[in-house]
Amino acid sequence: HTMRADWDEGNGREYGIYCINIQKHPAITKKLAQDPVFSTKWVCRYLNKKGYKKDRMKALERFNGRGKRARMYARVVDKWSKRFKKEEK
């Protein structure tokens, strides 16, 4: 996966830089998922609503569903966020 706003997973479900699954989140259209401003604001609100400040990993897992794939996704996002924090210093 690359950080591209026009990302299309190719499975008809996941789009944009956050790979928003439009089947899991039916209020989000492909066009909205590929809009970097909208999707960034939406993802931030979604994660905060899912308890990001209390349990970051659980909120990240919920964003991508449940199970092994969701846990793997959460670990990858966590790894990247730590890398970005180091670069900011």
Side-chain angles (χ1 to χ4, degrees):
H1 173 65
T2 61
M3 295 295 281
R4 293 183 25 205
D6 65 344
W7 177 256
D8 180 341
E9 183 69 28
N11 59 16
R13 295 187 308 257
E14 297 171 358
Y15 300 98
I17 59 176
Y18 300 103
C19 295
I20 297 173
N21 185 315
I22 62 173
Q23 288 179 337
K24 181 172 174 14
H25 307 287
I28 307 301
T29 63
K30 177 181 176 179
K31 184 175 180 178
L32 289 173
Q34 291 179 324
D35 177 322
V37 174
F38 173 85
S39 61
T40 297
K41 290 178 181 179
W42 182 84
V43 166
C44 289
R45 284 192 304 267
Y46 182 88
L47 291 174
N48 280 326
K49 191 167 66 172
K50 294 296 181 182
Y52 184 85
K53 292 178 183 176
K54 284 178 135 182
D55 190 341
R56 174 180 163 153
M57 294 301 283
K58 189 166 290 293
L60 290 169
E61 287 177 29
R62 288 179 182 157
F63 175 73
N64 205 44
R66 300 256 191 258
K68 184 178 179 180
R69 181 182 164 142
R71 286 188 297 278
M72 181 181 73
Y73 172 84
R75 285 192 299 271
V76 168
V77 170
D78 189 56
K79 176 183 157 189
W80 277 101
S81 68
K82 288 175 182 173
R83 181 181 289 177
F84 289 141
K85 282 184 179 181
K86 284 181 185 176
E87 289 176 7
E88 287 177 352
K89 292 180 180 180

